[in-house]
Amino acid sequence: NPRKISECDKLILPGVGAFGNAMKNINEFNLIEPINDYVRKGNSLLGICLGMQLLLDLSEEFGSHKGLGLIPGVVKKISHNKDIILPNVGFHKPIQMSKNKNSYGENEWFYFVHSFKCIPKIKENISSIIEYEGIDIVSSLKKENVRGCQFHPEKSQDAGINYFKNFLDE
């Protein structure tokens, strides 16, 4: 319900599935403008996995699809190399980026399952990265009151619970 968004203390944009289908649903339910208004008012938004990818301008997942454009950047396949196993599934310990700390400890492990990666235009928006098969992948982003995580806090045990608590407390 688009009207409910403005009433939220915090907004979480979850994500499992494909970028194009997700944006189609967001459009059909008339959620783009309420989400943008919510963010413009300074309210906190968290995108999880596909939800983080939706925060960017464009995705190349199964075609070219426009995103929400809340954080400048694009979403691309992790690799086209057939020797690299996709999706990336498992636990990783993100490496914090010094200029844009995220809301979790430096020794916590998070659960990932994804085949696409975010490539932000502004490197200062990167909060953390992981390395997968020799490739650096953005594991979390932050721009003002908008943040995203490629990992799934809800599947990351105590680290995920702490991540949610920190998001709710900020």
Side-chain angles (χ1 to χ4, degrees):
N1 183 334
R3 288 174 277 149
K4 294 283 186 186
I5 290 175
S6 65
E7 299 170 8
C8 295
D9 293 329
K10 304 281 183 170
L11 184 61
I12 296 177
L13 185 59
V16 172
F19 194 102
N21 289 339
M23 283 307 299
K24 179 181 174 217
N25 287 329
I26 288 171
N27 276 311
E28 285 179 2
F29 287 105
N30 298 311
L31 298 176
I32 291 177
E33 197 55 38
I35 291 171
N36 286 329
D37 288 343
Y38 182 86
V39 168
R40 274 193 293 270
K41 290 178 183 173
N43 297 311
S44 295
L45 168 65
L46 169 63
I48 298 173
C49 197
L50 173 60
M52 177 172 100
Q53 295 173 7
L54 295 170
L55 300 175
L56 277 62
D57 297 316
L58 182 74
S59 175
E60 297 178 359
E61 181 181 7
F62 307 120
S64 181
H65 306 280
K66 185 179 176 188
L68 294 170
L70 297 171
I71 297 178
V74 297
V75 179
K76 295 184 178 219
K77 192 170 185 174
I78 291 173
S79 177
H80 293 283
N81 181 338
K82 301 292 183 204
D83 294 330
I84 294 180
I85 298 170
L86 294 177
N88 166 27
V89 178
F91 282 85
H92 297 275
K93 182 172 74 169
I95 301 164
Q96 300 269 351
M97 304 306 286
S98 61
K99 293 185 179 183
N100 198 5
K101 291 281 186 180
N102 213 323
S103 58
Y104 53 84
E106 292 193 25
N107 290 313
E108 295 189 280
W109 292 75
F110 293 91
Y111 181 76
F112 290 76
V113 57
H114 63 112
S115 296
F116 290 81
K117 63 180 180 177
C118 292
I119 305 169
K121 287 183 183 174
I122 301 167
K123 299 301 178 208
E124 288 76 24
N125 290 335
I126 300 172
S127 296
S128 65
I129 61 170
I130 61 167
E131 183 271 327
Y132 177 70
E133 297 289 333
I135 300 168
D136 285 342
I137 296 172
V138 173
S139 56
S140 61
L141 293 168
K142 183 177 181 189
K143 180 185 174 202
E144 299 163 358
N145 54 321
V146 177
R147 70 175 61 243
C149 56
Q150 187 62 65
F151 51 83
H152 285 270
E154 75 281 8
K155 295 180 181 283
S156 298
Q157 303 171 9
D158 288 343
I161 290 169
N162 290 334
Y163 185 82
F164 280 131
K165 282 181 184 176
N166 290 334
F167 172 68
L168 293 174
D169 289 343
E170 62 182 27

